[in-house]
Amino acid sequence: MTPTDPVATRELRPPPGYRLAATVHALTFSPYDPCARIAAGTFWLALRTPAGPATLCLRPAAGALVAEGYGPGGGWLVERADAIAGLRDDLTGFAELAAGHPVVARLAAAHQGLRMPATGVVFPRVLRAIFEQKVTGKEAYRAYAATVRHFGEAAPGPLQPLLLPPEPAAVAAAPYWVFHPFGVEQRRADTLRRAAALADRLQRCADAAEATRRLTAVPGIGPWTAAEVVRVAYGDPDAVSVGDYHVPNTVAWALAGEARGDDARMLELLEPFRGHRGRVCVLLAAAGIHAPRYGPRASIRSFARF
């Protein structure tokens, strides 16, 4: 066996209408993400798993979805490939909730092939979410990509270049000024280093609720960052990014025809969908719905608090 041969393979059977690219889009920061790539209809994801470094390949094949794992943790990734592909996403009760609002019902029907993935690996999402705090998407991606390349380690498997996310211990040990050339000020750098030092403890959390409690106990991490993490690491369909610059306006516009809304109004409008509130936000994003913009168009992606 060569390093480019899979160590484990598994065939998955997605439901009719399943959309791989739309589902795994949440796992990529951009088309140029150094750790995740969609190439020729195939999805590649590099992670540091509890079993070691690994790369997962998900490729459609005659109505099936073939999962291939590379590297020491390849078997671990293949074992949970269905979760990463969103095939463990539990939509129980959502159809009934969606039927209560015409916009949500329409989006649920139009995007029924979109599922919510769950990677089962926490720290890479923490890294990305902290870099997204209070900055534009372009600035956040620059910091993320530069950090990955700074600690760069080639991912297992045949797709190159593909890099592993940084080792948490290496990030925790780095002085804060290492991140300055990447556009990361000391506050976010220190938050990242604190979270990296707790990465093993965060990884052992049993569910999204425990992870949220542990994350928000870290100075510099608030409800927005925690929601961004658990929605992807645990596939939490109820995680709402409270504190986002755009999402309250989007929810208010889509669900009530109000051009502006705050967090309280957003949560009020989402309450009928409790258990799937985050899913509703994902559907609004997938549909490209935005509240009307007033004044000069901004290039802000999230301008989240933390």
Side-chain angles (χ1 to χ4, degrees):
M1 179 179 292
T2 71
T4 58
D5 290 331
V7 298
T9 304
R10 180 182 176 193
E11 185 174 279
L12 307 173
R13 287 290 172 179
Y18 169 77
R19 294 161 56 198
L20 174 63
T23 294
V24 300
H25 177 74
L27 307 182
T28 66
F29 205 154
S30 89
Y32 311 103
D33 190 326
C35 302
R37 199 75 47 82
I38 300 174
T42 296
F43 176 61
W44 299 84
L45 177 66
L47 289 172
R48 295 184 186 275
T49 78
T55 297
L56 177 69
C57 168
L58 293 173
R59 55 181 177 84
L65 191 61
V66 176
E68 297 173 342
Y70 301 85
W76 190 94
L77 279 183
V78 166
E79 185 176 333
R80 63 174 301 107
D82 55 336
I84 295 170
L87 302 182
R88 295 187 196 175
D89 184 16
D90 185 1
L91 283 85
T92 302
F94 181 61
E96 292 77 11
L97 298 179
H101 194 289
V103 172
V104 179
R106 175 174 58 82
L107 294 180
H111 298 277
Q112 60 181 329
L114 170 62
R115 299 303 180 95
M116 295 184 66
T119 63
V121 181
V122 176
F123 183 69
R125 193 64 181 190
V126 172
L127 175 80
R128 171 175 164 176
I130 289 172
F131 284 154
E132 288 181 291
Q133 293 175 353
K134 295 187 175 182
V135 298
T136 66
K138 184 176 181 179
E139 291 169 316
Y141 176 73
R142 173 176 174 259
Y144 163 81
T147 298
V148 170
R149 293 187 177 109
H150 174 79
F151 293 98
E153 181 181 338
L159 183 68
Q160 297 299 327
L162 194 67
L163 299 177
L164 289 162
E167 179 69 54
V171 174
Y176 74 86
W177 46 259
V178 164
F179 303 93
H180 282 194
F182 313 149
V184 181
E185 80 290 348
Q186 184 174 353
R187 185 194 67 79
R188 281 186 298 155
D190 285 344
T191 299
L192 176 61
R193 293 163 63 239
R194 284 191 289 265
L198 297 171
D200 286 346
R201 188 176 301 177
L202 293 171
Q203 182 62 37
R204 292 195 298 268
C205 290
D207 53 29
E210 181 184 356
T212 297
R213 289 193 299 271
R214 288 192 180 274
L215 282 163
T216 52
V218 177
I221 291 182
W224 184 90
T225 304
E228 291 292 304
V229 172
V230 301
R231 185 167 51 249
V232 168
Y234 292 87
D236 184 355
D238 201 46
V240 181
S241 298
V242 173
D244 195 271
Y245 185 86
H246 290 304
V247 175
N249 295 336
T250 298
V251 171
W253 176 248
L255 302 188
E258 301 165 3
R260 293 293 178 265
D262 57 15
D263 285 334
R265 180 57 171 154
M266 173 181 70
L267 293 174
E268 177 186 3
L269 291 168
L270 290 173
E271 183 57 30
F273 307 99
R274 179 168 287 277
H276 294 276
R277 295 176 300 172
R279 189 187 306 280
V280 172
C281 295
V282 168
L283 288 173
L284 295 176
I289 294 176
H290 300 285
R293 291 182 172 90
Y294 300 136
R297 184 168 181 172
S299 62
I300 299 169
R301 179 181 179 276
S302 65
F303 263 108
R305 294 197 288 271
F306 54 87

